Amino acid sequence: GIASVVAGHPLDTVKTRLQAGQGYGNTLKCVLTVYRNESLAGFFKGMSFPLASIGIYSSVVFGVFSNTQRILSQLRHGDPAAAPSLADMTLASLVAGVISVGIGTPVELVKIRLQMQTQPYAKANVKLNPTVPGSPVYRGPIHCLRTILQKEGIPGVYRGNVAMLLRDVPGYCAYFIPYAMFCDWITPHGSISPNPFSIWVAGGVAGAVSWAVCTPMDVVKSRLQADGVYSNQYKGTLDCMVQSYQNEGLKVFCRGLLVNTMRGFPSSAAMFLGYELSLKAMKRCQTETSP
C-alpha cells in the first residue's frame, strides 16, 4: 500500500486538479502550472494521511477479497484452496469494493481537500479570503479532518461515499480479475507461482484498466469531495453528474482519464508486487519457524 502511494501520488494530485479544479487545461499544462506555482512539493500535497492509513485500507481490501474467495471455494468445492472461478472472483471483488468505501471515503476526502489548496496555510489568509478557491483552509490532515467534523459532522466525513461506491465496486472487478487473468497468461508453464516481473506487469495492466473503467465516477467523487470548502455547489451525486454534464458536456466525465491510466500502472504494479512479495516472505518465515 505504501509503495503504491509513493509511486502514484504526484499524478494523483494532477488528476484531482484536472477533475475538480479550474483553468488547468490539459495534463501537461496542469503539471507545469503546479510546478511553477508550488514547486515539486505541490505534487505531494495531501500524501501524509493516505500514507499513514493505506496499510489498514490495503490490508482490509486484499484481506476481504482473498478470504471471500476462500469462503466461496469452500462452499462450492469443499476446499478453500481450490482455484476460484470467474464468478467467485467477481463476487469477491464486489464485496471488497463495498467494504473499502467505509474506510476509504474519509481518507480520500482529506486528501482531495489538501490537494485543492494551492497556497500555503496562514491564519491571516484564512481570515481575509476564506471563500476564494485555492486559498488555504487546513494546516494539515488532522486539522482538516477535525475541521470537517466540526463544521459538517459525520455525514461531512463521508461526503461523496455514494459516488465512491459506484466507482469502487466496478473498479475492483476491473482490478482483481484482469490481474489474475493476466498473471496466469504471462506466467511460464510449469511455474508454481508468477515471478516478480510477471506480478509487476500484471498489476500495472490491472491498474490501468481499472482506472480507465472508473474515471467517470472518479470525476464525480472528486468534485463532490472538493466541494464544500469554498462553496456548496452540489446537493449530491446525481446533482453533481447533471450539473457537470449541463456545463461541460459528456467529455467532463473523461477528465483525468489519461493521467489516471498512466498513474494506475506504476501505482498498482507497486501495490501487487509489494503484496505478493510480502506474502511470500511471511510464508517463508512461518515455514522456517515451524517445529
Side-chain angles (χ1 to χ4, degrees):
I2 290 170
S4 74
V5 172
V6 173
H9 194 83
L11 285 176
D12 184 71
T13 299
V14 175
K15 179 266 298 183
T16 300
R17 297 284 180 89
L18 283 171
Q19 291 178 340
Q22 298 292 330
Y24 288 103
N26 57 33
T27 302
L28 180 59
K29 183 182 176 183
C30 182
V31 170
L32 294 174
T33 301
V34 173
Y35 179 73
R36 278 198 301 263
N37 296 337
E38 304 165 62
S39 74
L40 279 175
F43 295 101
F44 293 92
K45 282 187 173 180
M47 190 175 81
S48 59
F49 198 47
L51 203 61
S53 58
I54 192 67
I56 298 171
Y57 177 81
S58 296
S59 62
V60 169
V61 170
F62 278 81
V64 167
F65 174 74
S66 58
N67 281 294
T68 302
Q69 281 194 144
R70 289 173 63 84
I71 291 168
L72 291 171
S73 293
Q74 176 69 46
L75 291 173
R76 289 177 185 272
H77 312 291
D79 180 12
S85 65
L86 180 60
D88 291 346
M89 284 193 288
T90 302
L91 184 55
S93 300
L94 293 174
V95 174
V98 171
I99 297 298
S100 72
V101 173
I103 302 171
T105 303
V107 176
E108 286 278 306
L109 178 68
V110 170
K111 174 180 70 70
I112 284 177
R113 293 282 175 95
L114 292 174
Q115 284 175 327
M116 293 306 294
Q117 288 190 165
T118 58
Q119 302 297 325
Y121 179 88
K123 286 186 178 179
N125 289 342
V126 175
K127 291 177 181 177
L128 288 172
N129 300 306
T131 59
V132 177
S135 62
V137 178
Y138 311 113
R139 288 194 296 269
I142 302 302
H143 180 247
C144 178
L145 188 60
R146 189 167 64 240
T147 303
I148 294 169
L149 277 169
Q150 289 172 348
K151 291 184 176 180
E152 305 172 53
I154 296 295
V157 174
Y158 282 91
R159 187 181 183 87
N161 61 340
V162 174
M164 192 166 175
L165 188 69
L166 293 173
R167 182 197 75 171
D168 283 1
V169 169
Y172 275 117
C173 288
Y175 188 58
F176 286 115
I177 295 172
Y179 169 73
M181 294 175 69
F182 199 80
C183 223
D184 286 341
W185 178 69
I186 203 173
T187 302
H189 290 293
S191 296
I192 299 173
S193 60
N195 59 47
F197 178 74
S198 298
I199 294 167
W200 185 83
V201 173
V205 170
V209 170
S210 175
W211 278 109
V213 167
C214 64
T215 290
M217 286 312 302
D218 190 48
V219 173
V220 177
K221 182 199 72 71
S222 294
R223 291 189 165 204
L224 279 170
Q225 292 184 325
D227 190 42
V229 185
Y230 310 109
S231 62
N232 284 289
Q233 183 178 351
Y234 307 117
K235 297 176 184 177
T237 303
L238 184 60
D239 182 54
C240 180
M241 293 170 70
V242 171
Q243 283 197 48
S244 297
Y245 172 72
Q246 289 175 340
N247 295 333
E248 300 170 64
L250 274 176
K251 65 180 181 179
V252 69
F253 299 110
C254 293
R255 274 200 176 193
L257 176 62
L258 176 62
V259 72
N260 249 348
T261 307
M262 289 169 55
R263 177 181 70 94
F265 191 100
S267 178
S268 295
M271 171 79 84
F272 276 106
L273 187 60
Y275 170 73
E276 297 285 5
L277 293 181
S278 297
L279 271 183
K280 285 182 180 179
M282 285 185 282
K283 286 177 180 177
R284 189 163 53 246
C285 287
Q286 286 176 347
T287 302
E288 291 173 356
T289 56
S290 296

